[in-house]
């Protein structure tokens, strides 16, 4: 313990003589000799000088420094596996052992208990343990993160070694360098069992298309047994295959081919018939969830007259089985626009009558792909107001080839194709004015002279897409490509143009985004956006959501406003199928969105019950520890009690206290100076 001053002690050379002079003047110079005895003067002057000196000394801000030592016991961190694969009675035995450890090693260690499954949590924490996964890698990460910088004497991991999530714990380095001991649980005996270990399938399929589901199957100690593997959908058996198990360690991959016949999220079950020899009957089936989309697009081709370009366009589109193409002449068209997603006009309009018919397409806001031939009446074509104005005379044409615009980015095209080698097309002779949002794919080229005139372009006006081919003769390009045995660039260009133009653009006032498929224990989050009449984001109205579960129960929610949208957390829902409906009412007008999602049951912990003690042994060996059987848990306690690497740490630090803050010192000074004043008063000096 020592004392330091914040100000220089050289001030004492000034303080001491001043205080001495002051006391001398008060008691020896100013006082009368006959009033006090010499002894009393000395006592009172000493008291007065001491008080004044101490007060002046406090002005130098003295601090008392004490050295304090604290002993930090090493921490013994015990991680206990609470996952479903660990038998309940063994978990109880581990907890009983942990109670004994806390009692017997309390003087040597500070024992910390960390239960874990999918993650490790502090005992008594508000967070619950996810018991449907085992992540031993998260245990090693927890040592680094939850006990960073602390004195860790040893780590004990009590587990069956069955890991189905996360990193391999053997290769997660420990920052503390603490030794890791493992307490092995579970049974390593290989039991007679058939296991459907994995399903392989695409998450998306298209209506009426075939798709494949692969099942990976393994079996132990089941040689000579015969079972069945079945594919089920909506309670109906779609297919089955015989499973002949011919090896004690058997594995096989079985494939099912089926057809998507129902739009939406479909649940397919692959199940293996359970045999009497099996010990684990929870791993004989698995579910595959496949979203079936009705992505078939109807394309209506309307031509003024038969033409080989029309045949080429139809053939190119039909190479994709998601498109249905109908070809008709204008005179035979029924005028209905609701039956098609995209209209292709060839050589139209040629007069006012044609315009009256095809104008319905524009009025109903349908996308259109125009093959503009020299026979088109451009006065009537311009009246369609598609974002392209043509200044040309009817029946006048020019022979042109094409050049790819490298800046085009609506879809990918082969920019290296040499279109100047292709036979020329007959393009209207005139000027072409693009008066809306647009991109040009091909520019006209006359001989070797490139021009700025478009040959193929795409526009967007009033939210409606349109495409244009300003010429005829595509069929010649296709024949030329066939003659030189090159990739049919023309067909691919037509296909991509149709795909771009026919994409259905969803523009609704209420837009809700919900997951289609989540796993058990996973948070279900739904997002929503509301647009006002100008299609600007607005989150002032209240948006509601109703969720219907498979048991017929309905729960109503209200979205929470975010910065400019909405968010709603449904929490973790039990496995099952759910239907939802969201709505918002603004000025007596209601907007709705609906959909479905599925919560998948998590069977990760039910697939394998064979303990992996080899992993635990390797883990403890790599981390400087040792593996113990549960029956030898007390031997682990004995080893921990004698572990030399687990040593306490002595922390030394200084404790500063300012003497000015000592209340008792101030009280003492007041009492002393009061006593001195009382004596002076009593003797009549004051």
């Amino acid at each position: 313990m020592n004392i330091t001053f914040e100000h220089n002690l050289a001030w004492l050379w000034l303080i001491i003589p001043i205080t001495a002079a002051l006391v001398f003047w008060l008691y020896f110079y100013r006082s009368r000799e006959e009033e006090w005895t010499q002894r009393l003067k000395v006592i009172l002057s000493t008291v007065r000088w001491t008080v004044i000196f101490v007060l002046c000394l406090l002005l130098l801000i003295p601090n008392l420094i004490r050295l304090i030592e604290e002993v930090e016991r090493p921490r013994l961190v015990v991680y206990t596996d609470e996952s479903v694969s660990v038998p309940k009675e063994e978990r109880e035995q581990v907890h009983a052992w942990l109670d004994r450890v806390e009692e017997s090693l309390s003087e040597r260690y500070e024992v910390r208990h960390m239960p874990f499954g999918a993650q490790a949590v502090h005992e008594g924490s508000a967070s619950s343990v996810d018991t449907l996964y085992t992540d031993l890698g998260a245990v090693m990460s927890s040592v680094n993160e939850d006990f960073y910088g602390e004195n860790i004497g040893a780590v004990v991991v009590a587990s069956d070694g069955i890991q189905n999530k996360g990193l391999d714990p053997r290769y997660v380095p420990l920052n503390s360098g603490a030794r890791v001991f493992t307490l092995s649980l579970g049974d390593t005996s290989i039991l007679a069992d058939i296991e459907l270990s994995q399903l392989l399938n695409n998450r998306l399929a298209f209506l009426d298309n075939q798709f494949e589901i692969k099942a990976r199957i393994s079996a132990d100690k089941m040689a000579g047994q015969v079972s069945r593997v079945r594919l089920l959908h909506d309670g109906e058996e779609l297919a089955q295959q015989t499973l002949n198990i011919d090896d004690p360690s058997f594995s096989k991959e079985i494939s099912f081919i089926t057809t998507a016949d129902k739009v939406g999220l479909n649940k397919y079950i692959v199940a293996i018939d359970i045999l009497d020899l099996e010990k684990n009957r929870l791993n004989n089936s698995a579910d595959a969830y496949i979203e079936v989309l009705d992505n078939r697009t109807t394309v209506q081709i309307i031509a003024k007259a038969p033409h080989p370009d029309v045949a080429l366009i139809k053939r190119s589109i039909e190479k994709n089985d998601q498109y249905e193409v109908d070809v008709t002449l204008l005179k035979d068209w029924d005028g209905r626009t609701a039956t098609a997603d995209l209209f292709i006009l060839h050589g139209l309009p040629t007069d006012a009558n044609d315009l009256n018919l095809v104008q319905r397409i524009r009025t109903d806001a349908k996308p259109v792909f125009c093959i503009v031939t020299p026979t088109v009446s451009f006065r009537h074509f311009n009246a369609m107001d598609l974002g392209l104005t043509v200044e040309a005379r009817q029946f006048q044409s020019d022979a042109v080839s094409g050049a790819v615009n490298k800046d085009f980015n609506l879809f990918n095209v082969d920019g290296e194709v040499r279109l100047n080698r292709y036979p020329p097309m007959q393009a209207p002779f005139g000027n072409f004015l693009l008066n809306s949002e647009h991109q040009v794919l091909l520019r006209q080229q006359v001989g070797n002279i490139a021009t700025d005139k478009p040959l193929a372009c795409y526009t967007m006006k009033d939210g409606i897409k349109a495409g244009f081919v300003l010429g005829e003769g595509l069929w010649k390009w296709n024949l030329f490509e066939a003659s030189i045995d090159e990739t049919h660039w023309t067909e691919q260009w037509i296909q991509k143009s149709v795909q771009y133009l026919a994409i259905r653009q969803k523009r609704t006032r209420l837009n809700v985004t919900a997951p289609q498929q989540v796993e058990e224990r996973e948070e279900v989050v739904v997002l929503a956006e509301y647009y006002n009449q100008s299609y600007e984001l607005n989150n002032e109205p209240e948006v509601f959501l109703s969720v219907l579960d498979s048991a017929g129960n309905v729960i109503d929610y209200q979205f929470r406003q975010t910065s400019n949208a909405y968010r709603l957390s449904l929490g973790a829902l039990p496995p099952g199928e759910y239907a939802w409906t969201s709505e918002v009412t603004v000025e007596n007008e209601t907007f709705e969105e609906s959909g479905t999602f599925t919560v998948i049951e998590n069977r990760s912990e039910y697939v394998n019950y064979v303990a992996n003690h080899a992993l635990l042994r390797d883990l403890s060996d790599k981390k400087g520890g040792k593996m113990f059987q549960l029956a030898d848990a007390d031997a682990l306690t004995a080893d921990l009690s004698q572990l030399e690497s687990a040593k306490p740490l002595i922390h030394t630090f200084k404790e500063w206290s300012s003497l000015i803050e000592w209340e008792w010192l101030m009280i003492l000074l007041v009492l002393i100076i009061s006593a001195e004043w009382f004596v002076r008063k009593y003797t009549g000096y004051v």
Side-chain angles (χ1 to χ4, degrees):
M1 180 185 300
N2 56 14
I3 298 177
T4 63
F5 293 83
E6 294 189 16
H7 298 294
N8 199 324
L9 288 179
W11 285 99
L12 292 176
W13 293 103
L14 184 61
I15 292 174
I16 293 175
I18 291 176
T19 55
L22 180 64
V23 172
F24 177 80
W25 175 81
L26 181 64
Y27 281 96
F28 295 96
Y29 179 78
R30 185 167 170 256
S31 63
R32 294 188 299 271
E33 191 70 27
E34 64 276 8
E35 291 180 355
W36 286 335
T37 64
Q38 190 68 20
R39 181 180 179 184
L40 183 60
K41 284 185 178 182
V42 171
I43 294 174
L44 292 179
S45 62
T46 303
V47 170
R48 172 61 67 99
W49 180 85
T50 302
V51 171
I52 296 175
F53 178 78
V54 171
L55 290 175
C56 292
L57 199 64
L58 290 177
L59 294 177
L60 299 181
I61 310 180
N63 293 290
L64 183 66
I65 303 176
R66 292 187 300 168
L67 294 178
I68 298 177
E69 291 185 351
E70 286 189 355
V71 178
E72 180 187 356
R73 290 176 298 164
R75 285 170 177 74
L76 174 61
V77 187
V78 181
Y79 290 88
T80 59
D81 190 344
E82 306 294 331
S83 63
V84 175
S85 62
V86 178
K88 180 180 179 182
E89 57 273 15
E90 291 195 357
R91 293 201 300 269
E92 293 174 349
Q93 292 178 38
V94 170
H95 291 165
W97 168 79
L98 183 57
D99 291 338
R100 297 196 301 271
V101 167
E102 290 179 339
E103 181 178 353
S104 61
L105 300 182
S106 59
E107 294 184 1
R108 178 174 175 80
Y109 292 99
E110 179 184 338
V111 182
R112 303 290 292 275
H113 179 209
M114 300 284 289
F116 76 94
Q119 71 286 324
V121 301
H122 289 275
E123 185 180 31
S125 170
S127 302
S128 59
V129 179
D130 185 352
T131 61
L132 297 180
Y133 286 107
T134 303
D135 188 351
L136 290 168
V139 170
M140 298 296 101
S141 298
S142 170
V143 177
N144 294 331
E145 296 170 5
D146 294 332
F147 301 96
Y148 176 77
E150 298 186 16
N151 180 22
I152 302 178
V155 176
V156 177
V157 180
S159 173
D160 56 9
I162 301 174
Q163 177 165 334
N164 46 45
K165 183 182 181 182
L167 301 175
D168 190 321
R170 294 170 292 187
Y171 303 104
V172 178
L174 290 183
N175 299 333
S176 66
R179 296 189 181 186
V180 177
F181 296 84
T182 54
L183 194 61
S184 60
L185 311 177
D187 189 355
T188 58
S189 302
I190 298 178
L191 306 176
D193 183 46
I194 303 176
E195 175 189 341
L196 201 165
S197 57
Q198 188 178 20
L199 282 186
L200 302 174
N201 59 273
N202 292 329
R203 296 188 63 179
L204 294 177
F206 295 110
L207 186 65
D208 296 332
N209 280 12
Q210 289 189 328
F211 62 91
E212 182 180 25
I213 298 178
K214 291 182 179 180
R216 290 180 177 173
I217 300 171
S218 60
D220 293 306
K221 295 186 177 182
M222 300 289 287
Q225 300 295 315
V226 178
S227 185
R228 280 187 313 166
V229 184
R230 298 179 294 153
L231 177 65
L232 307 172
H233 180 231
D234 290 340
E236 178 184 354
E237 182 178 302
L238 302 181
Q240 65 170 272
Q241 296 186 34
T242 301
L243 185 66
N244 294 303
I245 305 173
D246 54 9
D247 192 272
S249 297
F250 174 83
S251 64
K252 187 176 182 180
E253 186 174 272
I254 290 181
S255 176
F256 291 100
I257 305 293
T258 187
T259 302
D261 57 2
K262 181 181 177 183
V263 175
L265 191 63
N266 287 259
K267 177 181 178 182
Y268 293 84
I269 302 174
V270 177
I272 307 171
D273 288 354
I274 298 174
L275 302 180
D276 294 336
L277 293 176
E278 290 190 74
K279 302 300 181 183
N280 181 8
R281 303 188 175 189
L282 297 175
N283 58 2
N284 282 45
S285 65
D287 301 335
Y289 290 86
I290 298 175
E291 180 73 16
V292 178
L293 306 175
D294 185 5
N295 200 37
R296 290 178 300 180
T297 301
T298 303
V299 179
Q300 177 72 63
I301 302 178
I302 304 175
K304 182 65 177 180
H307 194 283
D309 280 355
V310 174
L312 169 64
I313 294 172
K314 181 177 186 296
R315 185 174 68 251
S316 300
I317 299 173
E318 288 181 334
K319 287 189 174 182
N320 186 332
D321 56 9
Q322 295 304 311
Y323 291 90
E324 295 179 357
V325 184
D326 181 48
V327 179
T328 183
L329 297 178
L330 180 63
K331 64 183 180 63
D332 299 325
W333 182 44
D334 58 11
R336 293 188 300 169
T337 61
T339 57
D341 301 296
L342 171 67
F343 286 86
I344 299 179
L345 304 181
H346 186 277
L348 292 170
T350 60
D351 53 33
N353 292 330
D354 292 355
L355 176 62
N356 291 335
L357 291 173
V358 298
Q359 187 67 26
R360 301 175 188 174
I361 300 171
R362 171 65 172 167
T363 303
D364 293 342
K366 292 287 186 176
V368 63
F369 193 20
C370 298
I371 314 301
V372 184
T373 67
T375 60
V376 169
S377 170
F378 298 108
R379 179 167 64 88
H380 297 99
F381 173 84
N382 295 336
M384 294 176 64
D385 193 22
L386 297 173
L388 172 66
T389 299
V390 181
E391 297 177 347
R393 291 186 178 181
Q394 196 172 11
F395 302 114
Q396 290 189 357
S397 63
D398 195 9
V400 301
S401 59
V404 177
N405 177 18
K406 299 298 180 63
D407 296 328
F408 181 82
N409 59 16
L410 292 180
F411 49 81
N412 295 326
V413 293
D414 183 5
E416 303 300 324
V417 64
R418 297 171 59 187
L419 295 178
N420 59 343
R421 298 186 303 158
Y422 285 38
M425 295 178 61
Q426 295 300 314
F429 181 74
N431 296 320
F432 306 89
L433 305 176
L434 291 162
N435 47 35
S436 65
E437 180 184 345
H438 65 275
Q439 285 205 40
V440 176
L441 170 61
L442 300 178
R443 300 190 186 278
Q444 295 184 17
Q445 183 168 320
V446 181
N448 293 325
I449 302 175
T451 71
D452 292 332
K453 296 180 179 180
L455 180 61
C457 60
Y458 306 84
T459 64
M460 173 82 74
K461 188 164 186 179
D462 299 330
I464 305 172
K465 291 185 287 188
F468 307 91
V469 177
L470 302 171
E472 60 181 347
L474 293 175
W475 64 275
K476 298 178 184 179
W477 286 15
N478 185 248
L479 287 178
F480 174 75
E481 290 169 337
S483 67
I484 61 175
D485 196 25
E486 289 188 357
T487 302
H488 288 191
W489 184 90
T490 306
E491 291 184 353
Q492 294 177 5
W493 162 41
I494 293 172
Q495 292 168 3
K496 291 183 178 181
S497 296
V498 170
Q499 183 179 11
Y500 163 71
L501 294 169
I503 290 177
R504 301 167 187 171
Q505 292 183 301
K506 182 180 179 182
R507 197 180 192 195
T508 60
R509 298 277 296 277
L510 178 62
N511 185 13
V512 180
T513 303
Q516 294 181 331
Q517 180 179 317
V518 296
E519 287 191 349
E520 184 180 3
R521 302 278 180 93
E522 184 180 346
E523 182 185 18
V524 181
V525 177
V526 185
L527 305 176
E529 294 177 334
Y530 167 73
Y531 295 86
N532 59 22
Q533 293 182 352
S534 299
Y535 280 91
E536 298 170 333
L537 282 174
N538 186 333
N539 67 345
E540 294 180 1
E542 294 180 343
V543 180
F544 300 94
L545 182 79
S546 295
V547 178
L548 173 67
D549 62 19
S550 52
N553 302 313
V554 178
I555 304 178
D556 296 323
Y557 300 89
Q558 180 177 338
F559 280 90
R560 178 178 60 85
Q561 285 97 339
T562 58
S563 58
N564 59 359
Y566 301 86
R567 186 182 188 275
L568 174 62
S569 173
L570 305 181
L573 300 176
E577 297 181 0
Y578 296 83
W580 58 267
T581 300
S582 179
E583 66 175 32
V584 58
T585 302
V586 179
E587 296 179 355
N588 297 324
E589 187 175 6
T590 300
F591 304 95
E592 287 190 358
E593 282 279 305
S594 60
T596 61
F597 65 88
T598 301
V599 179
I600 304 171
E601 182 181 6
N602 186 346
R603 296 188 178 183
S604 300
E605 285 289 319
Y606 302 102
V607 172
N608 181 20
Y609 280 117
V610 180
N612 188 358
H613 290 178
L615 172 65
L616 299 177
R617 183 178 294 105
D618 198 16
L619 172 63
S620 55
D621 289 344
K622 286 182 178 295
K623 306 297 184 183
K626 185 180 178 181
M627 188 186 81
F628 292 83
Q629 300 290 334
L630 180 58
D632 300 326
D634 290 336
L636 172 58
T637 306
D639 273 22
L640 292 172
S641 65
Q642 302 172 4
L643 188 63
E644 294 183 357
S645 61
K647 298 179 180 179
L649 294 179
I650 299 177
H651 300 282
T652 302
F653 61 93
K654 296 179 179 180
E655 183 182 73
W656 294 62
S657 59
S658 176
L659 297 183
I660 297 178
E661 298 177 356
W662 287 10
E663 295 181 358
W664 64 266
L665 179 60
M666 295 300 173
I667 295 173
L668 180 62
L669 291 175
V670 170
L671 291 176
I672 292 174
I673 199 67
S674 299
E676 186 259 356
W677 178 87
F678 177 78
V679 172
R680 292 174 61 204
K681 181 71 173 177
Y682 180 77
T683 58
Y685 187 72
V686 177

